[in-house]
Amino acid sequence: MQKAGELLRGGELVAFPTETVYGLGANGLDGEAAKKIYEAKGRPSDNPLILHVASLYQFKELSGKLSRSAILLAGEFWPGPMTLVVKKNKHIPDVVTAGLDTVAVRYPANRDAQELIRAAGVPIAAPSANLSGSPSPTNARDVLEDMEGRIAAILDGGGCSVGGESTIIDTTTNRVAILRPGGIPVEMVEGLLGAVQLDPALQGVEAAVPKAPGMKYRHYAPKAKVVLCQTFQEIGAAVRENRGKKRKIGVIAQKRVVGCFSRVYRDGAELAEKLFAFLRDLDRKQVEIIYVETVLETGIGLAVMNRLRKAAR
Ligand code: AMP
Ligand code: MG
């Protein structure tokens, strides 16, 4: 932990676990260090990073004037899988925010993440630790697959408990808006604040430009083609049709399918936790196509279906 903190302070990149996905961290107050994140990931420079903190005090130091909803949300859901977009304080380097006058901040619940932020002594700028465009990593092996030779170290903390990414909430306008669904369900946010807006781009409005710049990219995509199926029967039919074609087929569903690479989940929460690892795992098996049984878009299901639609595009 001390070594990882030193590397970060010295301007190096260190991948680390959080409860959502593994982050690719750099000293968030050092523009040169943060620039290395974009290089290592092949990330477009218009896609800002999230600053990770280990206290509310550290959060306040990074932000300008906070709205009432930002204060309420921070008090209720931090530490946890929620990212708040707030007005930024002047001392944050432009590379971190991609030139925006707002900054995205998160206080993760994962103990290793908190300890690392304290060891570094600075906020840690970190997007997910995958190559740009591929599924986010939820274990150290998946990070290594994408980042070997590109970064100084990986802090291995085992698997991520939430798996999906954080919920991004814009608190800088009059009406609070969800920019990316994630680990904190919209229903819980509304339980605290009353009705909130969903960024129109999330509802498939074609012309809408997403307010979280990262949401416009084709994310989360495995190499295999992804096909979404509403029922298990549909998957059965598709698999039967492919028999005899000697194709390698992957299936992610609530029941096992014999004769293919089958990955089983119990409910939306388990699919959220395991989806990215399943996709990466099935890619390693070199399947051509992955059939996925979809889940209802309530609770964590909204975040899962948002990622699945992007993967299936
Ligand atoms: P990642 O951690 O890889 O999921 O990337 C961070 C996400 O946060 C991306 O989708 C960014 O577009 C989004 N983000 C970061 N800063 C801001 C900001 N100031 N306003 C809106 N979205 C942001
Ligand atoms: Mg990402």
Side-chain angles (χ1 to χ4, degrees):
M1 197 61 80
Q2 286 316 314
K3 171 87 186 169
E6 272 165 36
L7 286 169
L8 285 167
R9 268 199 308 281
E12 299 291 331
L13 301 184
V14 176
F16 64 99
T18 80
E19 68 274 27
T20 58
V21 303
Y22 271 70
L24 182 56
N27 179 344
L29 301 180
D30 175 350
E32 286 305 310
K35 218 193 267 170
K36 292 184 186 168
I37 292 178
Y38 293 87
E39 285 158 19
K41 280 183 64 99
R43 184 179 179 96
S45 61
D46 68 345
N47 190 4
L49 311 173
I50 293 173
L51 283 182
H52 292 71
V53 298
S55 70
L56 290 176
Y57 174 76
Q58 211 174 13
F59 164 55
K60 285 178 189 145
E61 276 193 327
L62 297 174
S63 9
K65 192 173 161 32
L66 292 172
S67 65
R68 184 173 162 271
S69 40
I71 293 165
L72 282 174
L73 286 164
E76 183 74 14
F77 298 119
W78 273 350
M82 173 186 74
T83 296
L84 293 181
V85 174
V86 297
K87 290 276 176 224
K88 79 164 201 178
N89 194 313
K90 283 186 212 62
H91 67 280
I92 300 172
D94 273 341
V95 266
V96 168
T97 61
L100 298 174
D101 61 354
T102 57
V103 62
V105 184
R106 185 160 99 82
Y107 178 176
N110 180 293
R111 289 304 163 99
D112 292 330
Q114 292 181 0
E115 212 181 308
L116 180 65
I117 297 163
R118 281 192 286 267
V122 287
I124 300 181
S128 51
N130 51 290
L131 287 175
S132 205
S134 69
S136 301
T138 49
N139 56 65
R141 176 194 177 189
D142 288 352
V143 176
L144 194 63
E145 187 176 65
D146 279 14
M147 291 298 154
E148 188 158 25
R150 294 168 179 261
I151 64 178
I154 301 174
L155 192 63
D156 185 352
C160 301
S161 58
V162 177
E165 289 113 332
S166 59
T167 305
I168 302 182
I169 307 178
D170 184 2
T171 66
T172 62
T173 57
N174 285 336
R175 218 162 139 216
V176 167
I178 309 277
L179 305 187
R180 175 176 77 181
I184 297 289
V186 178
E187 292 88 337
M188 282 172 69
V189 175
E190 295 196 320
L192 182 72
L193 300 180
V196 296
Q197 238 176 324
L198 270 192
D199 188 19
L202 290 177
Q203 299 161 50
V205 179
E206 282 292 324
V209 177
K211 278 196 73 187
M215 294 295 279
K216 71 173 181 272
Y217 296 105
R218 180 173 185 252
H219 257 102
Y220 320 110
K223 295 185 191 78
K225 182 178 159 66
V226 173
V227 176
L228 306 186
C229 300
Q230 278 184 6
T231 63
F232 188 75
Q233 285 70 19
E234 258 178 74
I235 295 182
V239 169
R240 274 193 300 281
E241 211 170 283
N242 276 297
R243 285 242 163 85
K245 287 189 190 161
K246 293 220 168 115
R247 287 172 115 184
K248 280 196 190 176
I249 305 285
V251 171
I252 299 175
Q254 296 193 22
K255 280 182 284 190
R256 187 160 293 285
V257 178
V258 289
C260 23
F261 294 93
S262 195
R263 298 288 178 273
V264 178
Y265 69 85
R266 228 176 309 121
D267 52 22
E270 191 176 6
L271 184 57
E273 184 193 327
K274 298 189 171 157
L275 177 63
F276 294 138
F278 281 164
L279 294 176
R280 282 179 171 269
D281 201 31
L282 289 170
D283 261 349
R284 279 184 208 114
K285 305 284 184 219
Q286 298 184 313
V287 303
E288 274 177 59
I289 189 161
I290 303 172
Y291 294 102
V292 186
E293 182 179 357
T294 57
V295 293
L296 290 179
E297 286 183 68
T298 54
I300 192 83
L302 181 67
V304 174
M305 288 307 296
N306 170 265
R307 309 304 189 272
L308 275 173
R309 281 209 195 84
K310 283 173 180 279
R313 224 166 31 204

